[in-house]
Structures are given as C-alpha cells and as structure tokens.
Amino acid sequence: MSVDGWNTVLVLGGIRSGKSEFAESLVADAPTVRYVATAADAPADDAEWAGRLTAHRARRPETWTTEETADDPRRLADVIAAAGPNDTLLVDDLGGWVTVLLDPAHQPADDTATVAELAAAVRACAARLVLVSPEVGLSLVPTTPLGRAFADALGAANRAVADACDAVVLVVAGQAAWLKPATAGPATAPAQLAPPRPAAAEPSAATGGPVAAPEPSPDVFTPGVPAAPDGGGEASGGTGWAAPTMALPMLATGLVIQPGMELPMPDEYAGPQAIERLATLDVPGAGLGVLERAVGFAAATQGTATPTPWGAVRVLLLHGDHLGGAAAGAVPGESTRRARQARAGQGVLARLAAESGAELQVVEVPTSAPMETGPTLDGEQVEAALRYGWRLAEEAADAGVRLLVLAACGAGTEAAAAAVLAATAGAETPAVLGRVVTDSGEIDDAAWMRRCAATRDALHRTRDSPRGAKDVLAELGGGDVAVATGVLLGATARRVPVMLDGPVGVAAAMVTRDLAGQARHWCLLADHGGHPAVRLGADVLGLTPLLDLRLDLGEGANALVALPLLRSVLALAAALPAHPALGGGDEPDTDGDDEAWTGPDEDDFREPEPAGPGPTSTDPRPEPVDPSGRRAG
C-alpha cells in the first residue's frame, strides 16, 4: 500500500521486551516485507543463541524475503538507500549490526562515519522502514572494555537513527510508549483511545480556531416489521444535517487521527483456544466447518475462548452521492429514496434489521465532487469525516453495541471504491468495477464504460500525488469512504468488531492500513456478494468470507441475512459440553432453570453488562477444560 503517510520508525526495547514482535506487527499489513537480518550466524557451541535465531526465522511469514548484511555492515545503508517507495523493510536489529561493526575482522574502520552513513540513508529512505534496536542506556555501565565499547557505539547509533526517523517507540514488558510522534501535531504521541468529549467548544486541531460542540448524531432506532408496503412517505425522524452537502462538524476532542496510530489488537490466544475447544465438543459430525472461523473471530474480539452471540447489533447506513462519471447509470434520487425508506423502517434493510433485532442508523455524509476533475473532498472535510466516523463508533460502544454492520447506499460508491483499490492495491479498474445493472435487470455496458473512464481519468490526474491515507480519501474516496474509515478506527479503539458488507467498507479497510494496521483484525466479512472489488480487497486484507451465497440485496442487508446463522453457531459452540470420551458430561444448564439446554433462546443472546468504558466479555458459564486439563479461556 501507499507509504507516503507512514515512513520510518525506530523500535527500542530491552532484552525479551517484545520489541521484535511489536516491530513485526507494524508491517503485518504489507503484502511483502524484506527482512534485513544484521546478526552473524550463531557459533557452533552456542545452542541458546541458535535457538533464538531459529525462533525469529519461524515467525516470519512465507511472503517475506530475508537479506543478510552480517558479511559487510556498511551494506545496510546501501540496502536502505536502494529501497523504493513500494518496498517495506524490517531491520532487526541494530545491536547485531553494531556487534559485527566492532568485530576485529572489520577493523580498522571509521565507526562514526559508518553510523552517519546509516542515519543519512534512513533520513532519505523512500520505503516503509522499521528498525529494531536494543536500548542499553538504562543498565549499569559494563565492567569490561569491550562491553563499554559496545554500549557506547550502540548508544551513538540509536541516537543518530532516532533523530533520522519519523517516529520512535520504546517497548517495555510488551507495552509500547511512543517517544516521538510520526507527524507533527498537538499530541505528544500517536493517538490512543479518544479522550472524553467536552461539552464546550475547544480549539480545532486542524485550524487552531474555536469549534462548536458537535451536532447531534442521526437518530438510532430498532425497526419493527412493517405491516404494509412502503408508501414512499417521509420519515418522521430527522438527522443533524440540513443537507447532504453540508460540511461535517469537527469533533472537539483533541483527537489526532494520523498514520501509525497504535490501537488495540484482538486477543491472540483466545481465538486459537476457541478453535481447539471446538474439536472437543460433543457433536455427531465433523463440526462447524468454515464457520469455525466465526467462532475464532468472536473469541479473539471478545477476549474469551467461549464467546457469546452478538446481542446488541447496530447497522450504520452511510448515505452520500458521488457526482460525475462515477454515478453513470444511477437513477437520480434513487439513493435518497433508499435512505428515506430505511429511516421509515421499510425496505429490505429495515425488515432484516427488524427480524434480527438490530438497530439502524442512517447517516448523511457530504456529496463527493467528480473525481475525474478534482479532489472529491478538501482537507478539512476529510479530517471532519474521519472524526465524525470515530464519534459514531464511540457512541455505539457507549450504548452497549457489540457488533457494527457497515453499509452505504449512495450513487457512484462502487466507482469510488474501485478508485481507492486501484490506488492502494495497484488494481486495474475494469477488474474491480462491477457491472451496472438497470432497474429492469439489464446490463448497461455504456454506463460501466463511463464509470471506468471516470476512474481512469481520476487515477491519471493523481498519478504524481501522494498516496497517503488522507490523500487517497480526499482525491478519490469521498465522504462515505472517509466516514467509514473513521468508523473502523473508532471501533478498533473501543474493541468493537465490524462486519463489512460491500465495496465502501472494504475500501475504507484498505485505507486504515496506513492509519492503524490493527483495524483490519477487527473486521469480519460474511459474504463477498460476487463483487470483484470486495473479492480483491478481502484478499489483500486477509479477510476470508465465511459464506459464498453471492447475495446482492444491498449493502448491510447481505450481512443481516448471515447474522442469525452466525449467532446460532456462537450459541451452540458456547453451550455444548465436551465429548464424554474427552471428559465431558451432560450439557450445562445455561438457562438457570434446572432443565437441559434445548436450543438458543433470548437469554443466550443477552450480552453481559460491561465492567468498564470498553466492551468486556464475562461469560457466566463454567470455563471449559481441554483434554490436557488446561483451561481453554
């Protein structure tokens, strides 16, 4: 993906601090990584050091390539300097590099000049670059001359490289403390969780001027199944916007949304433990098949090996049109009718939400200017849209929502998503832009060609422009993709999983890779719907659709069709005991009524009360035990 907004980072840490694992997580979203190994091979009599090197190699994905620089420490600067804008480099670590540099085999040499060459290469590096280095300045002064020489040389190298890097982070006991932000701003470190929102106006982080308190968010309601067909009338509920073209209000929180934000990751142990537990359940067949992934995802995002079904679900329907060729073939006013229909509790989306007991919130976003002639949004609109989307996710988390469904219903959204995928993943527009189908079910090839031409012209217009996240949103993405990006970031910060449904959500997930690589790990894709952009984006993001129903009911509706099945799977997985051959007994009484469990009821879908400001998972059932006697949770 684009690396213009996310450049060079130095990761410092002590022995066994987790610095290498943290550095690897920073580049986990890159399709390919060049791993630069600086340390020499372990001596034949040092089995412990050889074991460490083996563990490092085993952690690297198959898509990574490895480059050794131990034979010539001066070559490290050349490797960094030769890296191009589309490359991702992980250098691990500078301690091994300094060790080789001080080796008598490479002396005499001007070590100071070699360190200066490395710092200059880092400062001028066009690639995405992460360097790992031990922090030796916090320990006692070494008692040997060689130890003091190593500490002095590494300290000098760390200072020079830290000065050249855009960001510096210190990892202590697995916890990251940012010492130097990736971009300048009022914050002293990359944004973490959003601070509480004040009621009064505060200075804007973007302009420095006063900003009014945010306008009320659109109404949230739980649709009921309508008794009569849609009459086309206006909804009784309104939104906080006077018109779709109205600029979004800035959220006065001091939150800085910038590249390299460090947001939470799902629990890395709960997911595998949940999958292991499924193999022990008392089921007559082979189990849940591909739906095991849904259980693993829910376990990781809830932090428990026995996740509960998602009880409180909210659908965010983003409504905003794209002007110009992106909307070729769209019926004027059709997206507005769909949004009005949803607000009235009518139509496919509202009916499915009613059947699932899900809340529905229709959100108006700014109309996007034609991408082929100029930016779709200006810089201030992008900042406002990101903050607004973050706020929508925060409000959902505060209301106890445990799963968000992200959808959009604007004219030209598919072309905008295709443009974002082309800019961020190098896709060819015709390969990711779906066919245009008229209301009568006919294929409109002329409209499809006009959409392709608009996307092609937009990409040509921006061929020399930066490809940072905010640049892509401003030039190509538009209001709906920008708000959706903010929703994904805010949901990640509050540990709320998001079910994507359609091109807009997938395009937003692609953009989040530059802002917070952790966001994609909180995303779930139920069905690709046969859409080429969704298929490609999911492949790049590492999201495997759970189903292959090829539904095309409109964004959001496809996910709600799958939701009851996923809920039933989670309820079943949580309630079934282990097989008697593996130490299991009768099924637990999950209802508290001293009767055997006969299937999921409404109590199975009720979420436990959260213990704090963020969502937690407190399962009242006994913790399962796997065959080894270890608690799976």
Side-chain angles (χ1 to χ4, degrees):
M1 186 175 176
S2 163
V3 298
D4 295 290
W6 197 101
N7 298 312
T8 51
V9 176
L10 174 63
V11 180
L12 297 169
I15 299 173
R16 298 294 191 185
S17 62
K19 59 184 182 296
S20 293
E21 291 91 336
F22 179 83
E24 291 163 8
S25 73
L26 293 179
V27 298
D29 61 322
T32 59
V33 175
R34 187 145 46 119
Y35 185 97
V36 183
T38 61
D41 289 335
D45 58 348
D46 195 343
E48 189 273 338
W49 183 249
R52 292 194 182 202
L53 295 180
T54 301
H56 270 262
R57 295 188 182 104
R59 282 206 311 265
R60 302 171 201 165
E62 294 180 355
T63 57
W64 291 17
T65 59
T66 301
E67 189 158 350
E68 307 276 352
T69 63
D71 293 340
D72 182 7
R74 293 165 185 81
R75 199 167 70 86
L76 178 59
D78 296 334
V79 171
I80 294 174
N86 295 323
D87 293 332
T88 301
L89 271 63
L90 173 57
V91 179
D92 195 357
D93 67 3
L94 296 185
W97 180 75
V98 168
T99 300
V100 175
L101 182 64
L102 296 180
D103 190 290
H106 300 288
Q107 297 295 328
D110 188 346
D111 300 337
T112 303
T114 305
V115 170
E117 291 173 1
L118 175 63
V122 170
R123 184 174 285 106
C125 183
R128 193 179 198 185
L129 174 64
V130 178
L131 304 103
V132 183
S133 185
E135 175 51 62
V136 295
L138 302 179
S139 61
L140 297 175
V141 176
T143 58
T144 64
L146 184 58
R148 289 192 292 272
F150 173 78
D152 290 345
L154 183 57
N158 284 346
R159 290 184 60 180
V161 173
D163 183 66
C165 282
D166 299 318
V168 180
V169 59
L170 176 65
V171 180
V172 181
Q175 307 302 308
W178 290 89
L179 308 179
K180 183 179 179 181
T183 57
T188 58
Q192 305 291 328
L193 300 184
R197 292 189 296 273
E202 288 191 355
S204 162
T207 64
V211 176
E215 297 181 26
S217 297
D219 295 337
V220 179
F221 64 98
T222 302
V225 178
D230 179 17
E234 291 288 344
S236 59
T239 67
W241 314 118
T245 55
M246 184 176 182
L248 292 168
M250 290 288 286
L251 183 59
T253 64
L255 172 68
V256 178
I257 297 179
Q258 61 185 8
M261 291 191 297
E262 188 58 29
L263 300 180
M265 283 282 288
D267 191 312
E268 62 179 317
Y269 301 108
Q273 288 173 351
I275 300 299
E276 292 176 6
R277 178 178 173 272
L278 292 178
T280 70
L281 297 184
D282 185 11
V283 294
L288 298 176
V290 296
L291 293 178
E292 286 185 350
R293 293 198 298 266
V295 178
F297 174 83
T301 53
Q302 294 181 23
T304 174
T306 53
T308 57
W310 300 294
V313 178
R314 178 175 296 182
V315 181
L316 294 178
L317 180 64
L318 309 182
H319 172 233
D321 291 339
H322 295 255
L323 302 180
V331 178
E334 177 65 12
S335 67
T336 301
R337 185 182 74 84
R338 292 293 183 189
R340 183 172 63 242
Q341 188 181 60
R343 289 196 193 96
Q346 300 168 342
V348 174
L349 182 62
R351 288 174 179 268
L352 288 172
E355 293 290 345
S356 302
E359 300 174 344
L360 180 58
Q361 187 175 21
V362 182
V363 180
E364 296 290 342
V365 302
T367 298
S368 304
M371 70 171 83
E372 61 267 37
T373 58
T376 60
L377 299 175
D378 59 37
E380 291 186 359
Q381 286 179 308
V382 170
E383 293 287 349
L386 289 170
R387 291 167 179 265
Y388 183 52
W390 186 298
R391 188 179 107 193
L392 291 172
E394 273 196 325
E395 291 173 349
D398 291 339
V401 171
R402 294 296 178 261
L403 177 70
L404 284 172
V405 176
L406 190 55
C409 70
T413 56
E414 294 186 358
V420 170
L421 282 168
T424 57
E428 293 292 337
T429 300
V432 293
L433 189 56
R435 306 296 293 271
V436 179
V437 182
T438 65
D439 289 340
S440 60
E442 298 178 349
I443 302 296
D444 190 344
D445 287 332
W448 179 81
M449 287 188 287
R450 291 199 299 274
R451 294 186 184 185
C452 284
T455 305
R456 176 204 63 201
D457 293 345
L459 293 170
H460 181 75
R461 177 182 60 80
T462 61
R463 64 190 182 280
D464 296 326
S465 301
R467 284 291 190 254
K470 295 181 182 180
D471 301 303
V472 170
L473 292 175
E475 296 288 350
L476 305 170
D480 46 7
V481 180
V483 172
T485 302
V487 169
L488 294 180
L489 295 173
T492 300
R494 295 299 299 272
R495 301 178 181 272
V496 177
V498 181
M499 188 180 296
L500 305 179
D501 189 1
V504 170
V506 172
M510 292 289 293
V511 175
T512 61
R513 297 193 305 164
D514 266 2
L515 298 171
Q518 302 84 3
R520 68 186 179 93
H521 297 282
W522 294 88
C523 295
L524 179 68
L525 185 62
D527 190 359
H528 56 68
H531 199 290
V534 176
R535 282 180 166 179
L536 174 67
D539 184 60
V540 175
L541 294 167
L543 300 177
T544 303
L546 298 174
L547 306 173
D548 188 12
L549 302 179
R550 298 173 185 258
L551 296 172
D552 192 12
L553 300 172
E555 292 197 20
N558 306 314
L560 291 181
V561 169
L563 181 60
L565 173 62
L566 301 181
R567 279 173 161 172
S568 296
V569 165
L570 292 176
L572 188 66
L576 285 179
H579 193 278
L582 300 175
D586 294 333
E587 295 185 11
D589 174 24
T590 61
D591 299 326
D593 55 6
D594 297 326
E595 297 178 2
W597 186 80
T598 57
D601 58 20
E602 63 180 10
D603 290 333
D604 291 308
F605 297 103
R606 183 172 295 120
E607 292 286 342
E609 291 296 326
T616 60
S617 176
T618 54
D619 195 334
R621 304 180 181 90
E623 291 185 349
V625 179
D626 67 16
S628 65
R630 174 172 55 86
R631 287 191 181 274

